[in-house]
Amino acid sequence: MSFIRLYLRVLDLLGPEARLGWMLAGANVALAVAQFAEPVLFGRIIDSLANAQGKATPPSWPDLLPLLGGWVGFGLFTIVCSAMVALHADRLAHRRRLAIMTDYFEHILQLPLSFHGGTHSGRLMKVMLTGTDSLWWLWLGFFREHVAAFVALFVLLPLSLFVNWRLASLLILLCFVFSALIVLVLRKTEKGQSTVERHYTEMAERTSDALGNVALVQSFSRVDAEVAELKNVASKLLGAQIPVLSWWALTAVLTRASTTLTMLAIFVVGIWLHMAGQTSIGEIVTFTAFAGLVITRLEQAVSFVNRLFLDAPRLKEFFDVADTVPSVRDRPDAIDPGRVRGMVEFQDVSFSYDGKRPAVADLNFTALPGEIIALVGPTGAGKSTALALLHRVFDPQSGSIKIDGMDIRGLKLSGLRRNIGVVFQEVLLFNRSISDNLRVGKPEATDEEIREAAGRAQALEFIDRAPNQLDTSVGERGRMLSGGERQRVSIARALLKNPPILILDEATSALDASTEAKVQAALDAVMKDRTTFVIAHRLSTVRNATRILVFHDGRVVESGSFDELVALGGHFAALAKAQYLTSDSQPRQIATTPAE
């Protein structure tokens, strides 16, 4: 993405503030004109005084007063207009920064889990913060000084040719040489700055990774190792940054040197032209002021180019994420189904993560409202994938999934997922209070409803013991709670949502035997009158399922009740025998296998 296209896109993000932006841009143009007029008036005043002195007569006040009045007027206008531009530019930049940040946050939350699975959360956070900070600075700089700077350089500087084309030509030549040096620096440092930004991203990912797994870091005594690896990244970053900074330090020296050289050149050439009778003293003074003004504007332009150059990789990362189109999104004609009855149909459904090996293939089954469908099979057989397709984490490559006869791809995602409750094996909790986590399922729930759901999930026992009860914070990822407590909060959250379709992904795996029995009884009650899908590795938890689907290599290879499948003597019977659930095995403690 070229600098010009990148900058135009930054300005395009002003959105509803664009009108104010144009007004500020116009005010900057007026400022540039006013600042250009001041040296001209100053030079005219000097000429008037010099002419009077040459004629040995007093200065003519009728000639001086209009010039002095104009100079004062332009000066006052510059002061007032600059203050107003700065005030409104600050407000505009801050408003848009926060608006873009929330829009970006909403966008990444809507991206599919497949995107988040391959993109580190630390990177997304870094991209959001650095990207919006860069946008804020560019908006602020644009309206405070960049417009006036470029107007002065590309519009008003050529107008100086009408004052004195010889001195103006010298000034334009010096500006051209200086600009050429800046372009050289840009080309020398472009690749290096992109490398610097990659190292910054790696630092953000590593830091977030270590902090998110601090228990692992401490228990395996990896503090020194993690710090050493971060220092290594920091060393690489510094190695890439130093050459870039060196080039820009050279640019700063050139900028300062150009001020002295330009002033000197204007004086020397101006004196020579004056001696030849081709310029006046006032014009020399005017162009000396022009030179100071132009150098100031060049410094602003260089500062802008420098900052845009440094921020370009960050903005590119930001726009890359912002331009990511969700693979799963609402169709233009998608409808909100309201509350569904809960009939679910899989018709020839196939899906592959990599386009080579199918995760599920040719799935065909129907779940009637109120039925309990258990999905069993070895790890990687496709159970979790099948139910991820049901609530549209992904869309199948072929076939269709219907709820109450409606293809789920024709339903609004919010409407579909409002009808489906999920209890994950890996409990996902916000770093907020218990009540806030429960209200995720039903934001308008009363405290009485929350306590009822928590009671049915056997969670009131530990909630009432907590220091602030429902207002107790669960900590980051729920770390202030035990595994069983986290799972019961997750179950209570699903119960509070009260969806017509429920997905239980090893929902009782983190509970002890006593608590599991209580929660299972609560789940048995809540599963009534709703379609429930249960992913299970412990077959003892699915004895009462209406139907059991046995998955193997992404396909349903057996289907039936518990007793029917045991009698069949196939895959399910082998699993049951391995867990000592068949009559030809001695009763033993039920074994567990890792969750899918």
Side-chain angles (χ1 to χ4, degrees):
M1 184 179 290
S2 69
F3 278 1
I4 294 177
R5 286 177 56 206
L6 184 66
Y7 200 43
L8 289 176
R9 181 155 187 191
V10 168
L11 295 179
D12 186 58
L13 287 178
L14 289 172
E17 302 273 8
R19 183 178 178 183
L20 176 58
W22 280 110
M23 293 174 62
L24 290 172
N28 272 275
V29 173
L31 276 172
V33 173
Q35 290 173 341
F36 179 83
E38 287 185 54
V40 175
L41 292 170
F42 185 38
R44 296 287 175 85
I45 293 171
I46 294 298
D47 276 339
S48 181
L49 294 174
N51 291 335
Q53 185 180 27
K55 296 176 182 178
T57 60
S60 173
W61 283 107
D63 293 336
L64 287 175
L65 284 176
L67 296 175
L68 289 170
W71 191 12
V72 171
F74 279 115
L76 291 175
F77 172 80
T78 299
I79 293 170
V80 174
C81 190
S82 296
M84 295 302 294
V85 166
L87 176 65
H88 289 287
D90 279 359
R91 293 178 177 180
L92 181 148
H94 280 87
R95 284 197 302 267
R96 291 308 298 159
R97 175 176 179 259
L98 294 176
I100 294 298
M101 185 181 293
T102 53
D103 288 345
Y104 173 91
F105 182 64
E106 180 182 9
H107 173 71
I108 60 177
L109 286 181
Q110 291 174 339
L111 292 176
L113 292 181
S114 55
F115 172 85
H116 289 279
T119 308
H120 199 285
S121 58
R123 175 179 180 269
L124 292 176
M125 182 64 71
K126 176 257 182 187
V127 168
M128 180 176 73
L129 296 177
T130 60
T132 51
D133 280 347
S134 297
L135 290 171
W136 170 80
W137 185 91
L138 289 172
W139 286 324
L140 192 63
F142 179 79
F143 294 117
R144 272 191 167 185
E145 55 189 38
H146 296 160
V147 177
F150 286 106
V151 168
L153 293 175
F154 294 108
V155 178
L156 301 182
L157 188 59
L159 292 179
S160 64
L161 290 166
F162 294 99
V163 180
N164 187 302
W165 69 269
R166 295 175 179 86
L167 290 175
S169 298
L170 174 62
L171 196 57
I172 292 172
L173 176 62
L174 292 171
C175 289
F176 177 79
V177 172
F178 184 73
S179 300
L181 292 173
I182 297 302
V183 171
L184 175 64
V185 171
L186 283 176
R187 291 185 175 178
K188 288 287 186 181
T189 55
E190 183 175 3
K191 185 177 180 181
Q193 187 59 34
S194 296
T195 303
V196 167
E197 202 55 39
R198 285 199 300 272
H199 290 317
Y200 271 120
T201 298
E202 186 178 355
M203 284 189 72
E205 291 179 353
R206 283 191 171 276
T207 303
S208 175
D209 219 19
L211 292 176
N213 295 281
V214 67
L216 176 66
V217 171
Q218 292 180 354
S219 63
F220 279 81
S221 300
R222 279 197 56 84
V223 173
D224 292 340
E226 292 296 324
V227 172
E229 290 179 7
L230 191 65
K231 286 181 177 178
N232 182 44
V233 175
S235 177
K236 292 178 182 177
L237 189 155
L238 196 60
Q241 185 77 82
I242 291 298
V244 175
L245 296 177
S246 299
W247 277 103
W248 283 106
L250 176 61
T251 304
V253 172
L254 291 174
T255 302
R256 297 299 177 187
S258 66
T259 303
T260 303
L261 293 174
T262 302
M263 291 289 188
L264 181 61
I266 291 294
F267 269 116
V268 171
V269 175
I271 292 171
W272 178 74
L273 291 174
H274 179 67
M275 293 174 65
Q278 295 177 331
T279 189
S280 67
I281 295 175
E283 288 177 347
I284 295 175
V285 172
T286 295
F287 273 90
T288 302
F290 273 165
L293 178 62
V294 167
I295 293 301
T296 299
R297 293 308 190 187
L298 276 174
E299 288 179 341
Q300 292 173 347
V302 169
S303 173
F304 156 71
V305 173
N306 185 11
R307 184 60 186 260
L308 181 58
F309 172 74
L310 293 174
D311 286 347
R314 299 172 185 174
L315 291 170
K316 185 177 183 304
E317 279 188 320
F318 182 86
F319 288 132
D320 284 345
V321 176
D323 291 340
T324 301
V325 178
S327 57
V328 177
R329 58 188 184 276
D330 287 338
R331 290 178 176 176
D333 59 346
I335 63 171
D336 189 328
R339 185 174 177 86
V340 302
R341 292 174 52 247
M343 185 174 77
V344 177
E345 300 172 87
F346 277 66
Q347 299 177 346
D348 300 317
V349 172
S350 296
F351 174 78
S352 172
Y353 290 100
D354 56 12
K356 299 176 182 178
R357 179 179 176 273
V360 294
D362 302 323
L363 295 184
N364 283 283
F365 62 86
T366 299
L368 299 177
E371 285 193 331
I372 300 172
I373 307 297
L375 284 68
V376 302
T379 299
K383 308 182 296 297
S384 294
T385 299
L387 296 187
L389 292 170
L390 174 59
H391 58 103
R392 291 195 72 191
V393 174
F394 317 99
D395 278 335
Q397 276 103 19
S398 63
S400 64
I401 302 173
K402 296 182 178 180
I403 294 179
D404 292 356
M406 298 176 289
D407 192 318
I408 61 174
R409 286 171 291 195
L411 306 180
K412 289 185 177 180
L413 280 169
S414 58
L416 170 68
R417 292 170 179 170
R418 193 167 54 245
N419 281 284
I420 300 175
V422 184
V423 179
F424 300 98
Q425 181 182 28
E426 179 187 356
V427 181
L428 306 175
L429 297 177
F430 292 114
N431 184 14
R432 301 169 193 171
S433 68
I434 294 174
S435 61
D436 286 340
N437 275 283
L438 293 177
R439 283 195 172 95
V440 168
K442 187 179 180 182
E444 71 281 4
T446 64
D447 286 348
E448 291 73 18
E449 291 174 318
I450 288 176
R451 290 188 65 83
E452 180 185 356
R456 295 172 67 188
Q458 306 296 315
L460 275 183
E461 169 193 350
F462 68 85
I463 290 176
D464 287 339
R465 290 200 314 265
N468 298 311
Q469 298 187 347
L470 285 171
D471 292 328
T472 301
S473 175
V474 302
E476 186 177 5
R477 300 184 185 181
R479 287 175 179 161
M480 299 299 291
L481 304 178
S482 69
E485 290 170 347
R486 289 196 296 269
Q487 191 64 281
R488 280 179 275 175
V489 169
S490 177
I491 293 170
R493 182 170 58 195
L495 295 175
L496 189 62
K497 184 178 181 180
N498 191 30
I501 300 171
L502 185 64
I503 296 174
L504 305 177
D505 188 351
E506 284 288 325
T508 61
S509 61
L511 306 180
D512 58 70
S514 174
T515 306
E516 179 184 0
K518 297 177 183 177
V519 173
Q520 191 62 52
L523 288 175
D524 289 342
V526 82
M527 285 189 292
K528 291 179 180 179
D529 301 323
R530 76 183 76 239
T531 308
T532 305
F533 294 91
V534 182
I535 296 177
H537 285 87
R538 285 187 287 187
L539 302 186
S540 59
T541 63
V542 297
R543 281 188 178 274
N544 298 324
T546 308
R547 188 154 29 104
I548 298 173
L549 304 179
V550 183
F551 278 69
H552 185 74
D553 289 337
R555 300 174 183 273
V556 176
V557 294
E558 294 175 0
S559 175
S561 67
F562 189 98
D563 293 335
E564 289 171 347
L565 292 176
V566 169
L568 188 63
H571 289 274
F572 185 83
L575 291 172
K577 185 176 182 180
Q579 295 185 20
Y580 305 99
L581 297 177
T582 57
S583 57
D584 58 341
S585 300
Q586 295 297 323
R588 290 176 57 183
Q589 183 178 358
I590 297 173
T592 60
T593 57
E596 185 173 20

